[in-house]
Amino acid sequence: MHEDRTRGGIYALSAFMCWGLFPLYFKAVAAVPALEMLSHRALWVLVSIWPVILILGWSKRIRAVFLDRRAIRFIFWSAMLLTVNWLIFIWAIASGYVLQSSLGYYINPLVNVVLGVAFLGERLKWVQWSAVGLACCGVGVMIFVLGEIPWIALSLAVTFGIYGLLRKQAPVDAMTGLFVETLLVSPLALCYLVWLWAEGSAVVTVDSGSLLYLVIASGVVTAAPLILFTAGARRLPLSVLGLFQYIVPTGHFMLAVFIFGEPFTQWHLVSFGLIWAALALYTVDTLRRRNTEVTQQEDSA
């Protein structure tokens, strides 16, 4: 059991670290327009995951999703949201907004809390409301003091939050879901790329050299962390995975400030500080409640 959890921790940590380093990859392919890069990513993810699906014998799972009208409806809309999220993210990294990407994924857990109240009828305690309030103050500092509307951060947080909400409604595992999502999007992606090639306006062609290979690698770059995450999630409790998720925006933050040299003033620090305080409050309360639930279950047993 201990060995299994250790292995799960290594898998999950590796996945979140890969996601945290994503801006390095998308900076490397920044010469490719966002919509063209998005289309390539969808197609190459599909190509990368297909062999894994075959090896694991999950073809039946794919068919089951298409035969379940409720599941495929939710997966269709989640595919649309994921596409928008990917497009914003790719454009943001290429355009020098890695810090906003970091902010978006920091506030995403709190956006999930608000969505749970709005759509799932969940009730929040004062601690959770305080966390949401602190995050709002952090965003407010950015808007009213710095004069920046962090639309990229908010768009990433909201699209990914609603994406997660939709995926909760469809009983489909992460890898199968991503495969079906990219399968649904791939015809449009392929048509767009064929149109670019026919027009002669495609940036990525067979003569693109190393750029072509980098773009093809987007499939593995996207699929590999997901496979690692799936392996880790099977072996770890949700509370541990919840803590690991902050590795991603922290990685983006470190890259934005220390590698890409994006502006980070004292007011940015105040804004991020309020959001970090909100996350700390939310995380401590979540862990406390889960520990209480575990203790109650052990006592009742």
Side-chain angles (χ1 to χ4, degrees):
M1 181 68 174
H2 178 71
E3 274 186 29
D4 208 37
R5 285 206 171 186
T6 301
R7 232 198 283 160
I10 293 170
Y11 289 144
L13 184 61
S14 301
F16 284 107
M17 287 182 71
C18 287
W19 284 323
L21 294 173
F22 259 19
L24 290 175
Y25 171 79
F26 286 102
K27 279 286 187 183
V29 294
V32 184
L35 196 55
E36 184 176 349
M37 187 62 219
L38 171 70
S39 301
H40 274 287
R41 188 183 186 186
L43 288 173
W44 292 116
V45 167
L46 190 67
V47 171
S48 299
I49 294 181
W50 179 245
V52 179
I53 296 290
L54 290 177
I55 291 168
L56 294 175
W58 285 4
S59 299
K60 289 182 180 179
R61 295 189 184 191
I62 307 298
R63 285 196 296 271
V65 174
F66 281 98
L67 292 173
D68 186 334
R69 294 179 68 180
R70 183 175 182 274
I72 196 62
R73 186 168 68 248
F74 280 113
I75 291 293
F76 171 81
W77 289 113
S78 71
M80 298 302 105
L81 275 166
L82 184 64
T83 301
V84 173
N85 182 272
W86 279 5
L87 181 61
I88 295 169
F89 180 77
I90 292 168
W91 180 86
I93 302 304
S95 303
Y97 293 102
V98 182
L99 197 60
Q100 279 215 41
S101 162
S102 168
L103 179 65
Y105 289 110
Y106 269 129
I107 64 177
N108 176 247
L110 300 173
V111 169
N112 290 340
V113 169
V114 174
L115 290 172
V117 172
F119 295 101
L120 301 179
E122 296 177 1
R123 294 185 178 182
L124 301 187
K125 294 183 178 180
W126 70 269
V127 177
Q128 294 164 313
W129 278 120
S130 299
V132 172
L134 277 173
C136 289
C137 289
V139 173
V141 167
M142 197 166 284
I143 294 172
F144 297 110
V145 178
L146 292 170
E148 300 176 7
I149 298 177
W151 69 268
I152 295 169
L154 295 173
S155 299
L156 287 172
V158 171
T159 53
F160 200 67
I162 300 175
Y163 169 78
L165 184 67
L166 288 171
R167 285 297 300 272
K168 277 186 178 181
Q169 312 304 310
V172 180
D173 64 87
M175 200 183 310
T176 303
L178 182 61
F179 180 82
V180 175
E181 285 163 350
T182 51
L183 188 62
L184 292 172
V185 171
S186 59
L188 284 175
L190 184 59
C191 286
Y192 179 68
L193 290 176
V194 169
W195 179 76
L196 285 180
W197 293 327
E199 289 285 306
S201 55
V203 171
V204 181
T205 66
V206 291
D207 300 318
S208 296
S210 59
L211 182 62
L212 172 63
Y213 300 121
L214 272 174
V215 169
I216 290 173
S218 64
V220 175
V221 167
T222 303
L226 180 68
I227 293 169
L228 289 167
F229 172 78
T230 302
R234 289 175 182 164
R235 296 169 170 85
L236 292 175
L238 285 174
S239 57
V240 176
L241 284 174
L243 292 175
F244 278 172
Q245 71 179 326
Y246 299 127
I247 293 172
V248 179
T250 301
H252 294 186
F253 175 84
M254 301 291 281
L255 289 172
V257 176
F258 298 110
I259 303 298
F260 303 134
E262 292 186 20
F264 189 74
T265 66
Q266 64 181 42
W267 283 111
H268 282 99
L269 182 59
V270 171
S271 177
F272 271 81
L274 287 166
I275 290 164
W276 290 333
L279 287 173
L281 193 63
Y282 168 73
T283 302
V284 169
D285 180 64
T286 300
L287 291 174
R288 181 186 59 78
R289 284 188 292 112
R290 282 182 179 162
N291 287 336
T292 302
E293 289 172 5
V294 170
T295 303
Q296 288 174 346
Q297 288 173 0
E298 289 175 350
D299 290 343
S300 63

